[in-house]
Amino acid sequence: MEFYERLALRPVLWAHLHDYTGNSFENFFQDFMVLSFPGFVDVRTHGNLGDMSSDGLTLHDGRLYACYAPETPDAKATIQKFNKDFAGALEKRSGQFMIFVFVHNDVRGTHPEISVALANTKKIHQTLEFEMFGMRRLRDALGKMDRADVESLLKIPLPLQHDVAMGLPEMEELLSFLSTQRTSVLDSNLIEPVSAQKLRYSKLSEETQTELRDGMKYSSLIDNFYRERIDVTERDEVATRFHTEYLDAAQATPDAEEVLLRLRVFLAGSRMTTATSYRAQTAVLSYFFQTCDIFDNAPANWNEEIAKVMA
């Protein structure tokens, strides 16, 4: 799908995952997997056999999927369901999978207690891998599909307008946190200073370069924010999304300012924003600029003056 189509998908999918619970979510997920992965075997319940502790298997990579979508998410109940499904998979499908994937409909993401339970199970069963599959992974996977297939799967047309207010839900906590910070209390130690050469090579305007450089004062805060998360993969997952979106934007337009604007919309939507919210958004973009997840470093032999002459 195109950029604005992917943005339009966010609120539609959000609403669907609130409505899809129990068997309706399981059926939706199986339809999605059949459409997306030719090697997926959807396992339906059958008489007294049930589903033999699996809602689906992908044969090429040894993934076994177990779905859980209650009407009201509850960490304790989710952990119990995870333990029950995993124990059943070990008993009934031993040797058929290498990766156990727990699929859920909680739009808020993985509860910290569930992450702890997952990590503890991994310590006991070190030969197996474990994954959580929720709204974020589903959203990103749907974004790679054709619009017609997505609309067929969701059974609803996506909005046509480009004014999409919803940003990345997983970034709201970080943006809210940054909005409350004052520059006077920030740690001046950056994760790694960005080179002035990269800023110039980016072809961003001098005003934008100054804005990004100022936003980097918050990089140590953002780095600490992710270090303290129980889900240690969260930062890398977000960085991968930004990098993928950057590559797509850079391919769509040679205008660096337009690329950065598109990344801002990707982050926070196209709604009007306050000065503090804009500052928080800039800090996040500056952070991923600094970590080289967005925009490229200048080649080793790049010379700004020669580049100007050849332009």
Side-chain angles (χ1 to χ4, degrees):
M1 291 194 294
E2 298 295 331
F3 175 65
Y4 284 104
E5 291 174 332
R6 294 198 300 274
L7 292 183
L9 168 66
R10 294 177 184 175
V12 175
L13 179 60
W14 181 282
H16 271 62
L17 292 186
H18 275 292
D19 293 336
Y20 285 158
T21 59
N23 290 335
S24 63
F25 176 77
E26 181 181 321
N27 292 335
F28 166 73
F29 178 74
Q30 290 177 333
D31 289 343
F32 157 74
M33 291 294 291
V34 169
L35 188 62
S36 305
F37 301 96
F40 179 76
V41 179
D42 53 329
V43 182
R44 313 284 177 168
T45 56
H46 182 77
N48 294 330
L49 292 175
D51 58 13
M52 295 188 66
S53 297
S54 170
D55 294 315
L57 294 161
T58 46
L59 301 179
H60 68 286
D61 59 6
R63 277 179 164 81
L64 181 145
Y65 296 84
C67 293
Y68 183 53
E71 291 186 6
T72 304
D74 177 82
K76 183 178 180 180
T78 300
I79 293 172
Q80 291 176 345
K81 182 66 164 61
F82 169 80
N83 290 333
K84 178 181 177 182
D85 285 353
F86 178 62
L90 286 178
E91 178 185 354
K92 300 175 183 178
R93 294 190 178 274
S94 178
Q96 297 182 19
F97 67 98
M98 296 177 293
I99 304 172
F100 183 83
V101 185
F102 192 68
V103 187
H104 63 88
N105 71 331
D106 191 345
V107 297
R108 299 170 300 178
T110 305
H111 192 282
E113 293 180 13
I114 300 171
S115 298
V116 172
L118 198 69
N120 291 337
T121 304
K122 170 60 181 173
K123 290 180 182 178
I124 299 172
H125 302 276
Q126 297 184 12
T127 60
L128 296 175
E129 296 295 329
F130 298 86
E131 296 178 358
M132 300 295 284
F133 196 119
M135 176 180 170
R136 288 182 290 185
R137 283 187 62 179
L138 187 59
R139 177 198 65 209
D140 293 343
L142 288 173
K144 298 176 183 178
M145 297 167 57
D146 291 336
R147 180 187 181 117
D149 289 337
V150 173
E151 291 180 332
S152 175
L153 182 66
L154 297 176
K155 298 180 176 60
I156 186 174
L158 295 177
L160 296 176
Q161 68 271 20
H162 287 185
D163 185 23
V164 181
M166 188 175 185
L168 287 173
E170 60 267 35
M171 300 300 289
E172 290 181 358
E173 184 178 350
L174 175 58
L175 290 172
S176 177
F177 166 71
L178 291 171
S179 296
T180 66
Q181 303 305 304
R182 296 176 60 86
T183 56
S184 59
V185 299
L186 296 181
D187 184 353
S188 60
N189 295 321
L190 299 177
I191 51 175
E192 183 175 340
V194 69
S195 71
Q197 192 174 33
K198 176 178 180 177
L199 282 165
R200 294 194 297 269
Y201 181 71
S202 70
K203 298 182 180 179
L204 292 164
S205 68
E206 291 186 8
E207 292 82 0
T208 300
Q209 291 181 38
T210 300
E211 197 173 59
L212 288 176
R213 191 181 293 109
D214 185 65
M216 290 174 195
K217 292 185 295 188
Y218 296 86
S219 289
S220 58
L221 277 178
I222 297 174
D223 209 37
N224 289 335
F225 176 87
Y226 281 121
R227 289 180 189 278
E228 294 173 0
R229 306 296 279 181
I230 291 179
D231 183 357
V232 296
T233 67
E234 183 176 342
R235 186 265 171 215
D236 290 341
E237 288 181 359
V238 172
T240 298
R241 290 192 190 94
F242 270 96
H243 182 66
T244 300
E245 199 59 43
Y246 163 72
L247 292 177
D248 190 64
Q251 186 176 21
T253 175
D255 187 338
E257 293 288 331
E258 182 65 26
V259 169
L260 190 64
L261 175 61
R262 181 162 141 168
L263 290 172
R264 188 181 293 275
V265 174
F266 172 73
L267 167 64
S270 57
R271 60 194 168 195
M272 294 293 291
T273 186
T274 63
T276 53
S277 295
Y278 184 85
R279 181 189 68 194
Q281 296 166 20
T282 301
V284 171
L285 294 173
S286 299
Y287 173 79
F288 288 113
F289 184 96
Q290 189 173 0
T291 56
C292 297
D293 293 297
I294 60 174
F295 290 89
D296 298 323
N297 278 319
N301 60 347
W302 181 76
N303 183 288
E304 183 178 13
E305 295 305 320
I306 295 176
K308 288 180 179 179
V309 172
M310 298 182 64

